[in-house]
Amino acid sequence: DADVTQTPRNRITKTGKRIMLECSQTKGHDRMYWYRQDPGLGLRLIYYSFDVKDINKGEISDGYSVSRQAQAKFSLSLESAIPNQTALYFCATLTDNYGYTFGSGTRLTVV
Amino acid sequence: AQKVTQAQTEISVVEKEDVTLDCVYETRDTTYYLFWYKQPPSGELVFLIRRNSFDEQNEISGRYSWNFQKSTSSFNFTITASQVVDSAVYFCALSPYSGGGADGLTFGKGTHLIIQP
């Protein structure tokens, strides 16, 4: 099983809909992250969490919210999706040797 | 603020050629981590290397090598004898060393490497 699992892998949603992207990890790492990738822009940090009570905004948090339901789960929500939130979203954990492990990504299309 | 610049948007070479991907960074931190990731067409991010800023030794792993020069704020990546399977987008990234680099990564925009058979 993958260390970091993202669901769904692909999602198409309509403008104005609420959508949640889910991330779970199996290694018990405290620190989890959500990134967004746009073509030609690299990855940018949306939110990160050090534990269930510690949530921090990243570079581009506007229009997003997160929930750390448990140590293993970190969800990203778009309260009212808009087309420019169409992107590839990655969840990541910080491992014990200070490396980052990424999930396989969720490709979100807002129409 | 931190910044990572990968000036080469796209590089195309013929198989077996050597290719170097450039990475220049800016940070006010005196200690930091530098990373390279590979993103093949399938889309996942594959970790290649992490380097501490106080370790300036170059590193070689098979056909891959990395040249870290703190004096020029560069962390370049060379693939020797390139292969078609090396075709991917490559990202350079930076994080502060304090807190174990826990505040997340700052990525460059990536270099799309195309290896032609």
Side-chain angles (χ1 to χ4, degrees), chain B residues 2 18 22 30-31 38 66-67 78-81 85 96-98 108 110:
Chain B
Q2 300 188 318
D18 298 347
D22 296 334
T30 54
T31 54
K38 174 182 180 180
W66 291 268
N67 183 347
T78 296
I79 301 174
T80 302
V85 293
Y97 184 81
S98 61

Side-chain angles (χ1 to χ4, degrees), chain A residues 17-71:
Chain A
K17 293 291 187 181
R18 183 179 189 275
I19 182 171
M20 179 182 288
L21 310 183
E22 300 195 20
C23 175
S24 62
Q25 51 124 341
T26 59
K27 296 296 185 181
H29 297 139
D30 289 328
R31 295 161 182 179
M32 299 186 73
Y33 305 80
W34 276 103
Y35 289 88
R36 165 180 172 160
Q37 182 181 4
D38 297 279
L41 292 181
L43 282 79
R44 292 177 292 167
L45 184 62
I46 306 173
Y47 270 98
Y48 58 107
S49 169
F50 288 171
D51 63 40
V52 294
K53 297 180 181 179
D54 188 348
I55 305 292
N56 302 277
K57 292 183 177 180
E59 179 187 352
I60 54 164
S61 59
D62 287 348
Y64 301 94
S65 62
V66 291
S67 172
R68 187 80 183 266
Q69 303 96 319
Q71 185 192 43

Side-chain angles (χ1 to χ4, degrees), chain B residues 16-71:
Chain B
K16 297 184 183 178
E17 290 185 5
D18 298 347
V19 58
T20 296
L21 309 182
D22 296 334
C23 174
V24 174
Y25 61 91
E26 298 175 27
T27 180
R28 294 179 181 176
D29 296 309
T30 54
T31 54
Y32 43 88
Y33 289 108
L34 292 163
F35 299 77
W36 276 95
Y37 283 87
K38 174 182 180 180
Q39 187 176 45
S42 53
E44 74 271 21
L45 286 164
V46 179
F47 169 80
L48 296 178
I49 190 172
R50 186 199 67 178
R51 173 51 52 95
N52 299 326
S53 58
F54 44 82
D55 180 3
E56 292 195 59
Q57 281 191 333
N58 292 328
E59 183 154 342
I60 298 174
S61 177
R63 297 185 295 107
Y64 295 171
S65 62
W66 291 268
N67 183 347
F68 174 39
Q69 293 196 341
K70 202 167 184 178
S71 61

